[in-house]
């Protein structure tokens, strides 16, 4: 549906908020509009009758209309915040329950098999497969909960966001070494090229680590098994720019606008075996927005992607 038309379609907007009509901000605004019109007419008629100077009548009508308009604005604005919070809560519950359903079903299915008569304790190889399913789906749910907790803590300022000065290059090395096993298992090589005499960045150390873990993790995950990941650190005016380039599956053109949205995953990523929550880049953007940083990317489907971010040096 055309977006502009949708904005004016009160019933569609109210339905989207999922609240009763009497609590819907757009509907309330229309009602308040009628109230303002009627009261202006009533005050005009009363003023004409009791006040002889037409300028005073006009002034009173205008003052009443203005006061009511301000009240209407305040009321509808507060209802809009409430309605938006309600909409987000519903959306959040729907998405989370949907995301948890798949691993939970897999868990139930695998445990059901292990408890059934078909299960043969002697068939060690097959049994291991089922235990692997349980382990894999358990860690999926754990990953989802960790990401959701990070988002909640970030939004409530409960994560350590104290700025300190540190070397982005050293932190990058640390994260790469944490991923060493994963990098080797994926048949990848990682090259890090920091500019000479790079200044320290001024940011939160633990939050920057989360950013690096997500971007490096994605570059490994979405490389097609083998290839090279190239990381470069450059110094710009009053900031350091980080670039990570992979030659993986890339991002389809039509998905680009939505890449930083909560729970969004590109269709080519969903087709691969790689599991993801679609929360990593949302977290990256949330963190960098809060640290005067910026994040963006370039990509070509089937050729690879480069993600960039900047952090201030002062
Ligand atoms: P996920 O848990 O799915 O990796 P992210 O929020 O980190 O969630 O990323 C969102 C989506 O962006 C991914 O599902 C994937 O489709 C796409 N994406 C992110 N990084 C890359 C990359 N380096 N190469 C290709 N696609 C990527």
């Amino acid at each position: 549906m055309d977006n502009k038309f949708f904005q004016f379609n009160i019933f569609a907007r109210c339905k989207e908020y999922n609240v009763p009509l009497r609590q819907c901000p757009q509907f309330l605004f229309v009602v308040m509009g009628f109230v303002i019109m009627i009261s202006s007419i009533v005050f005009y008629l009363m003023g004409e009758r009791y006040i002889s100077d037409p300028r005073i009548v006009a002034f009173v009508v205008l003052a009443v209309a203005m006061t009511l308009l301000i009240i209407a604005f305040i009321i509808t604005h507060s209802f809009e915040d409430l309605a938006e919070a309600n909409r987000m809560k519903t959306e959040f519950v729907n998405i989370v329950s949907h995301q948890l359903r798949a691993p939970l079903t897999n868990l139930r299915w695998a445990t059901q098999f292990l408890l059934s008569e078909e299960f043969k304790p002697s068939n060690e190889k097959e049994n291991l497969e089922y235990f692997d399913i349980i382990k894999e789906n358990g860690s999926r749910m754990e990953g989802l909960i960790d990401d959701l907790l990070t988002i909640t803590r970030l939004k409530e300022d409960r994560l350590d966001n104290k700025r300190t000065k540190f070397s982005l290059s050293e932190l990058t090395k640390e994260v790469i070494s944490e991923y060493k096993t994963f990098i080797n298992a994926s048949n990848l090589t990682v090259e890090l090229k920091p500019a000479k005499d790079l200044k320290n960045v001024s940011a939160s150390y633990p939050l920057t680590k989360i950013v690096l873990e997500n971007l490096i993790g994605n570059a490994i995950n979405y490389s097609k098994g083998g290839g090279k990941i190239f990381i470069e650190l450059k110094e710009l005016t009053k900031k350091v720019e980080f670039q990570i380039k992979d030659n993986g599956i890339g991002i389809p053109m039509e998905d680009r606008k939505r890449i930083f949205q909560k729970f969004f995953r590109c269709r080519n990523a969903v087709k691969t075996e790689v599991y993801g929550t679609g929360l990593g880049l949302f977290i990256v953007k949330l963190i960098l927005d809060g640290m005067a940083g910026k994040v963006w990317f370039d990509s070509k489907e089937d050729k690879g992607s480069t993600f960039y971010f900047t952090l201030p040096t002062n």
Side-chain angles (χ1 to χ4, degrees), residues 123-137:
N123 191 346
E124 215 169 277
K125 196 164 167 255
E126 193 182 337
N127 298 346
L128 273 181
E129 268 174 39
Y130 284 90
F131 286 117
D132 267 348
I133 293 174
I134 294 175
K135 189 173 145 227
E136 163 77 20
N137 284 281

Side-chain angles (χ1 to χ4, degrees), residues 57-254:
V57 177
F59 177 76
V60 171
V61 172
L62 204 68
V64 170
M66 284 296 286
T67 317
L68 287 175
L69 194 69
I70 293 168
I71 296 173
F73 178 78
I74 295 170
I75 293 177
T76 47
H77 192 70
S78 8
F79 269 92
E80 195 153 3
D81 287 348
L82 275 178
E84 182 61 16
N86 189 57
R87 190 189 64 77
M88 280 169 63
K89 196 184 78 195
T90 315
E91 182 193 82
F92 186 75
V93 171
N94 283 344
I95 295 175
V96 171
S97 40
H98 180 78
Q99 294 258 349
L100 283 174
R101 184 175 282 274
L104 273 173
T105 310
N106 292 346
L107 276 180
R108 186 168 50 82
W109 172 76
T111 36
Q112 239 167 20
F113 174 80
L114 292 173
L115 293 169
S116 72
E117 282 168 10
E118 285 168 58
F119 171 65
K120 297 181 197 75
S122 54
N123 191 346
E124 215 169 277
K125 196 164 167 255
E126 193 182 337
N127 298 346
L128 273 181
E129 268 174 39
Y130 284 90
F131 286 117
D132 267 348
I133 293 174
I134 294 175
K135 189 173 145 227
E136 163 77 20
N137 284 281
S139 46
R140 277 186 189 193
M141 289 195 285
E142 197 178 28
L144 176 64
I145 289 162
D146 282 349
D147 282 351
L148 290 173
L149 278 176
T150 306
I151 294 173
T152 313
R153 287 175 184 152
L154 277 171
K155 292 208 164 166
E156 291 175 359
D157 268 342
R158 282 198 284 132
L159 284 183
D160 182 4
N161 56 7
K162 199 163 46 73
R163 285 194 189 192
T164 51
K165 291 222 164 194
F166 60 89
S167 154
L168 189 59
S169 158
E170 288 306 312
L171 182 57
T172 308
K173 272 187 210 153
E174 192 185 315
V175 176
I176 295 173
S177 72
E178 277 174 20
Y179 279 99
K180 204 84 218 154
T181 333
F182 190 20
I183 291 168
N184 292 340
S186 311
N187 225 355
L188 285 162
T189 52
V190 179
E191 188 184 330
L192 171 65
K193 191 177 154 214
K196 240 179 126 199
D197 302 324
L198 199 65
K199 276 196 189 144
N200 283 344
V201 292
S202 165
S204 151
Y205 187 89
L207 295 188
T208 308
K209 191 165 180 216
I210 296 179
V211 169
L212 291 173
E213 282 166 352
N214 274 298
L215 294 181
I216 296 174
N218 278 350
I220 303 170
N221 269 331
Y222 300 112
S223 285
K224 291 172 278 190
K228 189 169 173 182
I229 293 173
F230 184 63
I231 303 176
E232 206 174 346
L233 299 175
K234 291 183 184 167
E235 183 144 346
L236 308 178
T237 327
K238 293 186 180 169
K239 56 191 173 196
V240 168
E241 183 183 280
F242 173 99
Q243 294 187 10
I244 179 162
K245 184 175 188 314
D246 64 60
N247 38 28
I249 62 171
I251 295 163
M253 200 57 163
E254 66 273 20

Side-chain angles (χ1 to χ4, degrees), residues 218-219 222 246 249-251 259 264-266 268-269 276-282 305 307:
N218 278 350
Y222 300 112
D246 64 60
I249 62 171
I251 295 163
I259 203 88
F264 183 75
R265 303 198 72 213
C266 304
N268 61 342
T277 59
L279 290 173
L281 289 180
F282 177 80
S305 315
F307 277 82

